[in-house]
């Protein structure tokens, strides 16, 4: 099973990759790790495939590029090797129960760059886990944005993507669940928003039941491991023809 953790900087991708991998190993599974972040200095896991073996953003910065330019340039340099990386990941998938892919800290360098898109084209059966943290959910329109962004990742990368609220140990989740688990409730709340932004969100969320594949939001904490059993179940359901993600 190939799982790709995708999310904005600070959403907890790397920590979750490491801790979920330990959880799986403790439950008897063999796990391989893939690091696709050219800008990370230290990792809490030992990667079996690591793009930093070919290029790092900080080395490019020493040549005079700024942080953003160095990161973009690093993936430009990786594009010619994308097939090689795909083959190495495929080999890991052949000998491990799980392959956990830790994507770049700057999500846009994975979603909007040729390297990330081409790499995931090689694994249409992979499961994407889109992480977003509680601090971005301040108003009803934010919930619409989070749910739709997961759908956009699905569209961009061509892989089934499940939304996952991370760092749930840092917030009271009960109130957030009302909006994330019940689209009809969220849509009804958005209908009351007087702003143009609220109207747009209302129209978008009204289409979610029709557009979005059957799935459910995951609630995860790398600190307490809450939700890890649910993530394992969703991964199994994704790869098993007898289940869906509802």
């Amino acid at each position: 099973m190939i799982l790709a953790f995708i999310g904005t900087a600070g959403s907890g991708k790397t920590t979750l990759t490491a801790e979920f991998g330990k959880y799986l190993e403790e439950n008897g599974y063999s796990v391989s790790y893939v690091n696709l972040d050219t800008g990370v200095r230290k990792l809490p896991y030992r990667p079996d495939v690591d793009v930093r073996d070919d290029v790092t953003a900080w080395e490019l910065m020493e040549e005079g590029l700024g942080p953003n330019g160095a990161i973009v340039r690093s993936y430009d340099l990786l594009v010619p090797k994308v097939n090689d990386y795909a083959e190495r990941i495929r080999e890991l998938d052949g000998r491990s129960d799980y392959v956990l892919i830790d994507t770049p800290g700057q999500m846009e360098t994975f979603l909007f760059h040729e390297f990330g898109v081409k790499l995931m084209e090689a694994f249409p059966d992979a499961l994407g886990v889109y992480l977003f943290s509680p601090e971005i959910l301040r108003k009803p329109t934010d919930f619409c944005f989070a749910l739709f962004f997961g759908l956009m990742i699905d569209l961009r990368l061509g892989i089934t993507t499940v939304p996952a609220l991370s760092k749930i140990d840092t917030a009271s989740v009960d109130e957030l669940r009302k909006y994330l688990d019940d689209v009809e409730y969220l849509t009804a709340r958005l209908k009351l928003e007087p702003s143009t932004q609220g109207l747009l969100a209302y129209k978008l969320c009204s289409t979610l039941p029709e557009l979005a594949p059957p799935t459910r939001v995951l609630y995860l904490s790398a600190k307490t491991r809450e939700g890890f059993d649910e993530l394992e179940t969703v991964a199994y359901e994704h790869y098993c023809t007898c289940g869906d993600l509802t």
Side-chain angles (χ1 to χ4, degrees):
M1 300 184 189
I2 299 176
L3 273 65
F5 293 100
I6 304 161
T8 56
S11 61
K13 295 185 299 295
T14 298
T15 304
L16 188 64
T17 299
E19 200 60 34
F20 185 59
K22 291 178 185 176
Y23 164 85
L24 292 171
E25 290 169 346
E26 290 169 8
N27 282 279
Y29 295 103
S30 57
V31 181
S32 294
Y33 301 87
V34 177
N35 171 53
L36 298 181
D37 192 346
T38 61
V40 67
R41 290 278 189 175
K42 294 182 180 180
L43 291 170
Y45 58 85
R46 184 175 180 177
D48 298 275
V49 172
D50 192 343
V51 291
R52 297 176 303 171
D53 292 338
D54 286 314
V55 61
T56 64
W58 62 83
E59 288 173 338
L60 294 173
M61 288 175 64
E62 291 174 357
E63 297 176 8
L65 292 174
N68 291 332
I71 290 174
V72 172
R73 178 58 179 159
S74 68
Y75 291 101
D76 289 342
L77 295 173
L78 288 173
V79 168
K81 302 180 181 181
V82 68
N83 290 333
D84 176 59
Y85 277 103
E87 183 57 32
R88 292 168 66 187
I89 293 171
R90 192 172 290 110
E91 290 175 1
L92 294 177
D93 189 35
R95 65 173 187 257
S96 301
D97 296 317
Y98 284 84
V99 177
L100 305 184
I101 300 178
D102 186 12
T103 62
Q106 291 186 325
M107 182 170 58
E108 62 272 20
T109 59
F110 189 69
L111 293 179
F112 303 130
H113 196 283
E114 186 180 10
F115 175 78
V117 175
K118 278 194 168 184
L119 181 65
M120 296 315 298
E121 282 178 351
F123 305 104
D125 293 332
L127 178 66
V129 182
Y130 163 52
L131 301 176
F132 55 99
S133 48
E135 61 263 22
I136 74 165
L137 303 175
R138 300 298 183 188
K139 51 188 184 297
T141 52
D142 295 335
F143 293 86
C144 180
F145 171 82
L147 293 174
F148 247 94
F149 204 88
L151 189 59
M152 293 299 100
I153 294 174
D154 194 318
L155 178 64
R156 175 65 173 166
L157 297 181
I159 60 173
T160 299
T161 303
V162 294
L165 183 65
S166 63
K167 301 182 179 180
I168 61 171
D169 54 283
T170 66
S172 176
V173 178
D174 290 342
E175 186 66 21
L176 305 180
R177 278 182 179 271
K178 290 195 301 185
Y179 291 93
L180 292 172
D181 290 345
D182 190 343
V183 175
E184 290 185 1
Y185 178 86
L186 174 59
T187 303
R189 180 64 182 81
L190 288 168
K191 193 174 183 179
L192 302 176
E193 292 290 311
S195 65
T196 302
Q197 183 186 32
L199 177 62
L200 174 60
Y202 167 72
K203 290 183 176 181
L204 286 173
C205 276
S206 296
T207 66
L208 266 176
E210 181 180 356
L211 297 177
T215 187
R216 58 187 182 273
V217 177
L218 300 176
Y219 297 86
L220 306 173
S221 168
K223 184 176 181 180
T224 66
R225 293 188 173 184
E226 186 173 352
F228 278 16
D229 55 343
E230 186 74 1
L231 176 55
E232 181 185 353
T233 298
V234 166
Y236 174 78
E237 290 173 353
H238 173 66
Y239 280 90
C240 175
T241 57
C242 63
D244 60 29
L245 302 183
T246 57

